[in-house]
Amino acid sequence: MTATAEPAELERRFEEVIAREERVEPRDWVPDDYRATMIRMIAQHAHSEIIGMQPEGNWITRAPSLRRKAILLAKVQDEAGHGLYLYSAAETLGADRDELTRKLIEGRQKYSSIFNYPTLSFADVGVIGWLVDGAAICNQVPLCRSSYGPYARAMIRICKEESFHQRQGYELLMTMMRGSDSQRRMVQDATDRWWWPSLMMFGPPDADSPHTERSMAWKIKRHTNDELRQRFVDMTVPQADALGVTLPDPDLRWNAEREHYDFGAIDWAEFKRVVAGNGPCNAERVAHRRAAHDDGAWVREAAAAHAARRAERDGAA
Ligand SMILES: [Fe+2]
Ligand SMILES: [Fe+2]
């Protein structure tokens, strides 16, 4: 789209691209709100991937076998990769990656509330794979059709890797459930602690979700928070049965009329507390990320010095 066209004409062409289900690409004209919404969404997603390395990373040195350690290392490294693709996608919209990192470590930009809970046993590694990566897949598969091209394409690869994460978690839990009584108790305990926070991953109820309507209209999002939450519950209940664990919700039951599972009320006060920065691990997770950023300062300085010297040399040549 040429920059010389009238604003109304640019707006019309943008709306047309959205209506035709085509992708918006980095050099295309977009409304300021679309750019801001997209940057916010991608940045929060990137931050979630990076902060999300910590709860499980906590168990790498204590994995019970070499095999479990190798799987967990690969999984946590995947999450780092997801963060990097996503920061790059945000850069195609003109966001500055340094600025996004600063916003994260200064607590000015959010990440998924789920990563503010502690990992108390190795069963948490399995339950995070099963429920947290499972919820992430529900959220992200429709984003492969998101209107912003670089984000939609990043999501395709990310979803493939999230499926591996979900499977490795479920396989770990299956193994533990075939083990001792105390291992089965660990799996049940981890399920009890992660179930409700996993349902909160889909965000506030639709009636209370300020960005949903706009994001749906722009085809950034394809389904509402409540639709995706229902899909996740319907998918997960049979998996819990197969595993032999009880989901901690006395109101959970099949509704033949709706052809969906009904489930109990979510504690939105807890969600708001955690999102506002007062969850069990918010301070620790951000402090850890800040320390890692400070520790990496010498690498950034060295890379910048190397680039400057190379530019100088190329200029001289
Ligand atoms: Fe991920
Ligand atoms: Fe994952």
Side-chain angles (χ1 to χ4, degrees):
M1 294 181 198
T2 59
T4 50
E6 292 297 317
E9 172 64 9
L10 291 170
E11 178 104 40
R12 193 188 59 75
R13 287 190 211 162
F14 168 81
E15 295 294 347
E16 237 173 56
V17 166
I18 300 288
R20 283 201 302 259
E21 300 277 329
E22 287 170 8
R23 297 279 172 271
V24 177
E25 295 298 338
R27 283 178 204 82
D28 293 348
W29 180 93
V30 296
D32 291 345
D33 280 358
Y34 179 92
R35 187 181 303 279
T37 300
M38 215 54 239
I39 290 175
R40 192 193 62 245
M41 184 168 164
I42 298 175
Q44 287 181 3
H45 189 167
H47 297 332
S48 302
E49 301 282 358
I50 296 298
I51 294 285
M53 296 167 73
Q54 292 185 40
E56 291 169 284
N58 182 32
W59 281 93
I60 290 172
T61 55
R62 293 173 292 163
S65 69
L66 181 61
R67 177 170 176 267
R68 292 295 169 195
K69 190 187 199 107
I71 293 170
L72 185 53
L73 263 175
K75 199 256 186 190
V76 171
Q77 284 178 342
D78 281 354
E79 307 300 7
H82 298 172
L84 299 186
Y85 301 148
L86 290 166
Y87 285 126
S88 300
E91 284 182 311
T92 66
L93 287 156
D96 179 65
R97 184 159 151 195
D98 236 25
E99 170 66 12
L100 296 180
T101 302
R102 264 198 306 279
K103 280 185 174 166
L104 171 65
I105 62 182
E106 290 168 8
R108 291 186 286 126
Q109 203 160 42
K110 300 198 185 315
Y111 55 87
S112 177
S113 60
I114 193 80
F115 300 118
N116 292 309
Y117 291 86
T119 41
L120 304 181
S121 82
F122 200 74
D124 289 41
V125 169
V127 170
I128 289 175
W130 174 37
L131 297 180
V132 176
D133 289 281
I137 293 168
C138 271
N139 252 329
Q140 290 168 19
V141 164
L143 294 176
C144 297
R145 294 187 298 121
S146 176
S147 58
Y148 190 59
Y151 188 50
R153 289 189 290 273
M155 222 38 65
I156 293 170
R157 173 157 177 188
I158 288 177
C159 284
K160 285 184 182 158
E161 293 180 348
E162 300 299 359
S163 306
F164 155 64
H165 299 169
Q166 205 262 357
R167 285 308 187 89
Q168 67 82 34
Y170 199 71
E171 189 265 348
L172 167 58
L173 298 177
M174 276 291 190
T175 305
M176 292 184 80
M177 292 304 282
R178 284 194 300 267
S180 65
D181 281 345
S182 89
Q183 285 176 310
R184 278 187 285 277
R185 274 198 302 275
M186 280 165 69
V187 174
Q188 183 61 59
D189 169 64
T191 304
D192 291 346
R193 285 181 290 105
W194 289 95
W195 173 248
W196 291 106
S198 301
L199 295 190
M200 294 174 195
M201 281 176 73
F202 296 92
D206 295 346
D208 206 8
S209 174
H211 305 300
T212 292
E213 203 183 322
R214 205 68 241 251
S215 297
M216 298 277 286
W218 277 331
K219 298 180 183 170
I220 292 173
K221 278 173 75 165
R222 296 296 184 145
H223 305 281
T224 71
N225 297 352
D226 288 332
E227 284 167 16
L228 292 168
R229 193 169 5 250
Q230 182 71 61
R231 188 179 286 190
F232 174 69
V233 171
D234 292 346
M235 181 183 95
T236 308
V237 173
Q239 295 171 352
D241 289 343
L243 200 54
V245 294
T246 309
L247 295 172
D249 179 359
D251 297 324
L252 188 66
R253 64 179 58 85
W254 179 251
N255 182 327
E257 209 171 297
R258 289 201 312 124
E259 299 199 324
H260 289 293
Y261 284 93
D262 290 337
F263 52 97
I266 294 170
D267 182 355
W268 292 114
E270 174 183 326
F271 175 74
K272 283 185 184 143
R273 234 178 7 255
V274 178
V275 169
N278 303 311
C281 301
N282 297 57
E284 175 190 327
R285 298 275 148 84
V286 172
H288 193 84
R289 180 69 193 86
R290 198 182 307 125
H293 186 70
D294 293 346
D295 286 347
W298 70 272
V299 179
R300 293 189 296 279
E301 278 163 25
H306 177 72
R309 201 160 324 148
R310 198 146 118 185
E312 212 173 280
R313 214 174 35 227
D314 290 353

